[in-house]
Amino acid sequence: MPLLEIKNLQLEFGSGARAARAVDGVSLSLEAGRALCLVGESGSGKSVTALSIARLLESPPARYGGGEIRVEGRGVLKRSAREWRGVRGGGVS
């Protein structure tokens, strides 16, 4: 089982016709003991992707438009903010 798995992540800022998609269809998998590097041009969504894994983006204006983030097989986006804080301070950090 991967330590971190992201499937088709989509993240937007704003809502309705004014929404701007910052991350569109990111998928990756990271096994324990391995390293992963996100590479891309400035403004390509690297930082937003990393912050979204830890759920450190303020919502609103950020909104998860689709996809899935799993840490040690457990869904991140389905957890409450309170529950996620405990996980973030331990395994994710």
Side-chain angles (χ1 to χ4, degrees), residues 5-62:
E5 188 173 25
I6 299 175
K7 293 181 181 178
N8 198 31
L9 181 64
Q10 297 174 354
L11 192 110
E12 302 172 340
F13 288 95
S15 61
R18 299 185 65 110
R21 184 157 292 164
V23 174
D24 190 10
V26 170
S27 295
L28 59 88
S29 180
L30 179 64
E31 298 293 330
R34 307 287 287 181
L36 176 74
C37 180
L38 295 177
V39 180
E41 295 180 11
S42 178
S44 64
K46 301 176 301 291
S47 295
V48 171
T49 298
L51 291 169
S52 70
I53 294 167
R55 283 185 55 185
L56 290 173
L57 296 169
E58 200 65 35
S59 180

Side-chain angles (χ1 to χ4, degrees), residues 59-80:
S59 180
R63 184 176 74 80
Y64 292 91
E68 183 178 15
I69 302 171
R70 300 182 72 72
V71 174
E72 296 179 332
R74 298 171 64 194
V76 168
L77 301 179
K78 295 178 180 167
R79 295 183 185 195
S80 70

